[in-house]
């Protein structure tokens, strides 16, 4: 995911309180910000989806 220095925006999603805390705790455990955790998750999801596309 490119971080080209474009405008910064908020992302509003609805998740359960348990999911929220699990994500926060995971990020803290690995000493990363939630923004970095989100960016890593997007990269992993993109790679997985692209991989699935090549296997079909």
């Amino acid at each position: 995911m490119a971080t080209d220095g474009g405008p910064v925006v908020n992302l509003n999603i609805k998740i359960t309180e348990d999911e929220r805390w699990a994500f926060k705790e995971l990020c803290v455990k690995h000493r990363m910000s939630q923004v970095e955790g989100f960016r890593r998750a997007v990269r992993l999801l993109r790679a997985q989806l692209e991989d699935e596309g090549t296997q079909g």
Side-chain angles (χ1 to χ4, degrees):
M1 176 157 61
T3 54
D4 60 1
V8 176
V9 299
N10 288 322
L11 174 66
N12 295 309
I13 59 174
K14 291 191 179 210
I15 58 175
T16 67
E17 188 72 14
D18 287 345
E19 290 169 325
R20 177 178 172 256
W21 280 107
F23 181 70
K24 289 178 84 157
E25 289 173 354
L26 183 63
C27 291
V28 168
K29 179 180 177 182
H30 293 281
R31 295 177 178 242
M32 72 175 74
S33 71
Q34 290 179 52
V35 172
E36 178 60 22
F38 174 80
R39 289 178 177 153
R40 286 183 179 209
V42 169
R43 286 194 300 267
L44 288 169
L45 178 60
R46 180 180 291 127
Q48 179 184 5
L49 293 173
E50 289 173 355
D51 185 49
E52 288 175 5
T54 61
Q55 292 179 3

